[in-house]
Every structure is written in structure tokens, then in C-alpha cells.
Amino acid sequence: DNLMELMVMADALKRASARHITAVVPYYGYARQDRKTRGREPITAKLVANLMQTAGITRLVTIDLHAGQIQGFFDVPVDHLYASNIFVDYVKELIEKNEISHENLVIATPDVGGTKRANTYAKTLGVPLVICHKLRLRANVVAEMRIIGDVEGKDVLLVDDIVDTAGTMTKAANLMIENGARSVRALASHPVMSDPAT
């Protein structure tokens, strides 16, 4: 619905002779469908880019794309902003309030795809990075997960971009606790929160 409304508004602006149309789209829908994994699958993230440009959008501002390469789907400028600029300050507040200890803090990613994002947090805060490696049976179903790194006695901060059903996030959190983590918190840029995520 929101995507269709965006197209309609862009078309109306274009027909009203707007010189430039900047779309501010914090959550880029269909971003997870950014490549073909099997034959006859759509690349919907590219389709959405085409639709936006056809509707007349001349610039896009978005936050935490699922894959940074989506910017290349556009022939117009894309401003890809990062939620880490806000979240790092929040984590520093937690440290100042003694809710978590800086010496005890570990940044974790619930999947290998989020390693670059999580590494940004780890480097900025000067703390270790832990990675979860997962094997999926199919979309939204995680079969197996392993931790790469040490979480025993640590305050773990799981960082992700999109939380849909929260299957990966909850599995990662439980795995952290099973491996001796003292506490587990999660940060997500885009909490879609489809059932049973809550």
C-alpha cells in the first residue's frame, strides 16, 4: 500500500512539473529479494527501483539497505544512511548508565550477511565481534546455527537490519544464552515484526 501511494504521489508531482522529486524511504520494501537464488525468481528490489524511477523519482534517501549493492539498481542518486549513527549513541548511554559494561560488551550479528554492519558497531565502540552462521531450510525457517567467537560471561548486543518473524534473532539470542552470555539485547533498523515476532 505504501509503495503504491509513493508511486501515485511521485506521478502527481511529475505531472505538476516538479523539477526534482526526492523520495525519503526509510524502509526499502522487497530489499531482501535482491538476486536470483534459483531459476525463474524475480529480482524485486530492482523492480521497485525501476518503478520509482518511472514514476519520476529523481533521488532516493533510505536507511540500512539489506544489501548496499541495491544502490546500483538506480540510475539516480541514492543517499544510503546508516542507523548506526543513532544506535551507537544509544549503546553509549547504556554504558554510561551502567546497564551494560564496556569491558564486557560484545557485538554480534545473527547471520553472516550482517557482518559488515556489525563490524561497524564493534570498531566504533572498540569491542569484539561475534558472528552467527546459519543454515536455512527455506525463507523464514532457520535449520541450524553456530557461533563464531566467544560470548561466555559477556553482554551481547545483536545487531540486524530487518526483523521479520524474528526466527533468526530469537534463535541467535537463545544460542548466546546457551553459550554462557550474561545478557542479550537486540538492535534492529527495520522491525517488520510479522507474527510470531513479538
Side-chain angles (χ1 to χ4, degrees):
D1 290 346
N2 292 331
L3 182 60
M4 191 64 200
E5 289 295 320
L6 176 65
M7 300 304 149
V8 171
M9 287 188 292
D11 182 68
L13 292 167
K14 184 170 79 172
R15 291 172 190 279
S17 302
R19 182 179 298 163
H20 299 289
I21 303 169
T22 301
V24 180
V25 182
Y27 174 62
Y28 187 93
Y30 301 99
R32 290 188 291 179
Q33 242 174 335
D34 61 345
R35 65 192 180 285
K36 288 175 71 164
T37 56
R38 291 187 298 265
R40 295 180 300 283
E41 279 188 345
I43 304 176
T44 316
K46 171 64 174 157
L47 173 62
V48 170
N50 290 345
L51 290 169
M52 286 185 185
Q53 292 172 120
T54 301
I57 290 167
T58 57
R59 184 179 209 100
L60 176 72
V61 179
T62 189
I63 300 172
D64 276 357
L65 284 170
H66 187 64
Q69 300 88 315
I70 291 172
Q71 296 172 80
F73 292 169
F74 287 85
D75 294 322
V76 298
V78 176
D79 296 309
H80 182 203
L81 307 177
Y82 299 94
S84 58
N85 295 324
I86 296 166
F87 285 151
V88 164
D89 290 341
Y90 171 71
V91 174
K92 288 178 181 176
E93 282 178 33
L94 291 176
I95 293 168
E96 287 173 15
K97 293 177 183 175
N98 291 322
E99 291 187 35
I100 54 176
S101 161
H102 184 266
E103 296 74 33
N104 216 34
L105 183 61
V106 169
I107 300 296
T109 176
D111 58 20
V112 176
T115 303
K116 185 177 177 187
R117 180 182 315 102
N119 191 46
T120 300
Y121 285 84
K123 282 172 64 176
T124 303
L125 294 164
V127 298
L129 175 67
V130 171
I131 300 167
C132 287
H133 178 264
K134 69 180 177 185
L135 176 67
R136 281 193 186 273
L137 285 175
R138 58 186 182 278
N140 289 338
V141 179
V142 177
E144 184 183 334
M145 188 178 279
R146 293 192 181 104
I147 294 176
I148 302 168
D150 181 30
V151 296
E152 191 168 352
K154 302 291 186 182
D155 292 314
V156 178
L157 186 61
L158 281 164
V159 178
D160 208 352
D161 59 340
I162 301 170
V163 176
D164 186 358
T165 62
T168 300
M169 187 67 81
T170 54
K171 195 167 190 85
N174 288 331
L175 191 60
M176 299 291 167
I177 291 167
E178 287 168 18
N179 281 269
R182 190 173 79 167
S183 71
V184 181
R185 287 179 171 78
L187 291 176
S189 314
H190 308 297
V192 177
M193 305 300 277
S194 306
D195 283 338
T198 306

